[in-house]
Amino acid sequence: MAKDGTDAASDDRHWRPGARPRRDPPAWTAALADGDDAGFFGPGSAVWAVNGALPTLVAGIRALLLQTLHPGAMAGVHDWSRYHEDPLGRLDGTVRWVATTTFGDRRAATAASAFVSRLHEHVTGTYTDARGEEKEYAANDDELLRWVHDAFTEAFVGSHLIWGGPIPGGADAYVGEWAQAGRLMGVTDPPTSMRQLRAEMASFTMKAKPDERVAEAVRFLRRPRLPGIVGVVYPILFGGAVASLTAEQRRLLSLRKPWWPAITLARLLLAVAARTLGATSPSERAARARIARLEGVQERS
């Protein structure tokens, strides 16, 4: 279940990389320049290095693929999500939550996570687990929150290790820092190292239940019918995401590793995107403006 930090209909300007290169970012991005502190992470953090880099374009797809493997999470998506009707609206909401949690001040990050939690309060139902037993689910249950957090963390740090630059403090630093985002969402004791993350992911994978719901979600993620240039380059990003998964994850998802050099083509595409869009996202620029303003106030006081 993707995190949705906004009502997409409330803002008619969504910043979508590659959709309209000269289009101004949405108002919520500019609002990241406001605030009273540097946020939970800040310049030089592992989280800024990973979440502010272009490999997140692949990581988002990889995270969604991984998240389908939990039958409770998949039931929630099947029963409540409108991703078929409004895929870009869902994407915009997720981008907003990630950017605000990463680059916003502490108050904004906390408010964005609380908003998502409120949206999830009504997401409840039942599902049949891998053993054939019927279970109840709620999107804000610790197990589902933990699975979504773990899949996101693994996808983002894993993609960055393939396509990104150095991570300050290494992968363990990212997992440890991004655990704060899990806590904001209500995850109790999230993993703080790659070893802990891999152990939890392995435990969840043992409970995976590949079924028609998973197959339907994978079919949609393969061909979401995105408009414009995004739709043109998406197959390369999807192929890269699939190639970056483990063999066991691909088996559970009934996916094959692309026969073409997906990792290399994704790397070339991200390099072109970096030259076109710039190395710094609008969200990070707004955050740096906020921090510079705060530092200027401190120097004058």
Side-chain angles (χ1 to χ4, degrees), residues 38 40-52 102-103 166-170 173-174 177 284 287-288 291 295:
F40 285 103
F41 309 108
S45 66
V47 166
W48 272 40
V50 172
N51 291 4
T102 300
F103 296 112
I167 303 174
Y174 178 80
E177 290 177 13
E284 182 174 343
R288 288 187 178 276
I291 294 169
E295 290 175 345

Side-chain angles (χ1 to χ4, degrees), residues 148-173:
V148 172
H149 172 77
D150 286 1
F152 178 101
T153 305
E154 195 276 348
F156 272 60
V157 70
S159 295
H160 196 89
L161 290 172
I162 296 172
W163 292 287
I167 303 174
D172 279 344

Side-chain angles (χ1 to χ4, degrees), residues 10 16 32 35 45 67 72 86 93 97 100 103 124 128 175 181 184 221 248 253 255 272 291:
S10 67
R16 297 164 187 156
L32 296 176
S45 66
Q67 287 171 16
D86 187 22
W97 177 82
T100 302
F103 296 112
T124 59
T128 304
V175 177
L184 290 175
L221 289 171
E248 175 63 9
L253 292 165
L255 289 169
V272 172
I291 294 169

Side-chain angles (χ1 to χ4, degrees), residues 1-300:
M1 285 170 288
K3 296 178 176 69
D4 189 350
T6 183
D7 178 0
S10 67
D11 189 343
D12 61 357
R13 296 184 301 117
H14 307 304
W15 185 72
R16 297 164 187 156
R20 295 186 183 180
R22 293 187 177 88
R23 199 176 196 183
D24 292 336
W28 65 260
T29 301
L32 296 176
D34 302 328
D36 302 322
D37 56 60
F40 285 103
F41 309 108
S45 66
V47 166
W48 272 40
V50 172
N51 291 4
L54 283 171
T56 57
L57 297 176
V58 186
I61 302 170
R62 176 170 166 170
L64 291 173
L65 287 170
L66 289 172
Q67 287 171 16
T68 67
L69 291 176
H70 192 294
M74 198 65 254
V77 170
H78 180 271
D79 296 346
W80 295 95
S81 177
R82 294 173 55 245
Y83 69 91
H84 281 98
E85 293 82 7
D86 187 22
L88 287 179
R90 298 294 296 175
L91 174 62
D92 282 321
T94 302
V95 168
R96 179 170 182 171
W97 177 82
V98 173
T100 302
T101 306
T102 300
F103 296 112
D105 74 341
R106 295 190 175 212
R107 180 181 299 179
T110 302
S113 298
F115 180 78
V116 176
S117 295
R118 288 194 299 272
L119 288 180
H120 285 171
E121 286 177 354
H122 70 285
V123 179
T124 59
T126 62
Y127 70 96
T128 304
D129 68 10
R131 298 180 179 180
E133 299 177 1
E134 185 171 316
K135 292 186 175 181
E136 295 183 351
Y137 73 82
N140 285 333
D141 284 349
D142 185 70
E143 180 176 339
L144 293 190
L145 289 174
R146 180 177 298 277
W147 168 244
V148 172
H149 172 77
D150 286 1
F152 178 101
T153 305
E154 195 276 348
F156 272 60
V157 70
S159 295
H160 196 89
L161 290 172
I162 296 172
W163 292 287
I167 303 174
D172 279 344
Y174 178 80
V175 177
E177 290 177 13
W178 192 242
Q180 177 60 39
R183 297 185 194 103
L184 290 175
M185 288 301 303
V187 180
T188 58
D189 193 24
T192 56
S193 69
M194 286 295 292
R195 181 185 62 79
Q196 292 176 353
L197 177 64
R198 287 171 177 147
E200 287 195 6
M201 290 289 294
S203 176
F204 276 119
T205 301
M206 293 176 62
K207 304 175 184 177
K209 184 194 172 206
D211 57 15
E212 179 52 34
R213 288 178 173 179
V214 175
E216 178 186 359
V218 171
R219 284 195 296 269
F220 175 80
L221 289 171
R222 185 190 294 273
R223 297 182 180 88
R225 298 181 181 179
L226 299 174
I229 188 63
V230 177
V232 174
V233 303
Y234 181 84
I236 297 176
L237 299 175
F238 181 83
V242 172
S244 72
L245 296 171
T246 67
E248 175 63 9
Q249 289 165 346
R250 286 194 296 269
R251 184 189 68 80
L252 291 169
L253 292 165
S254 297
L255 289 169
R256 294 182 179 180
K257 190 174 183 179
W259 60 266
W260 43 278
I263 298 290
T264 300
L265 285 182
R267 180 172 288 110
L268 292 174
L269 175 60
L270 293 174
V272 172
R275 293 177 65 88
T276 304
L277 301 173
T280 306
S281 71
S283 297
E284 182 174 343
R285 289 197 296 270
R288 288 187 178 276
R290 181 185 76 249
I291 294 169
R293 171 178 56 80
L294 294 172
E295 290 175 345
V297 170
Q298 291 176 350
E299 289 177 358
R300 291 193 297 271

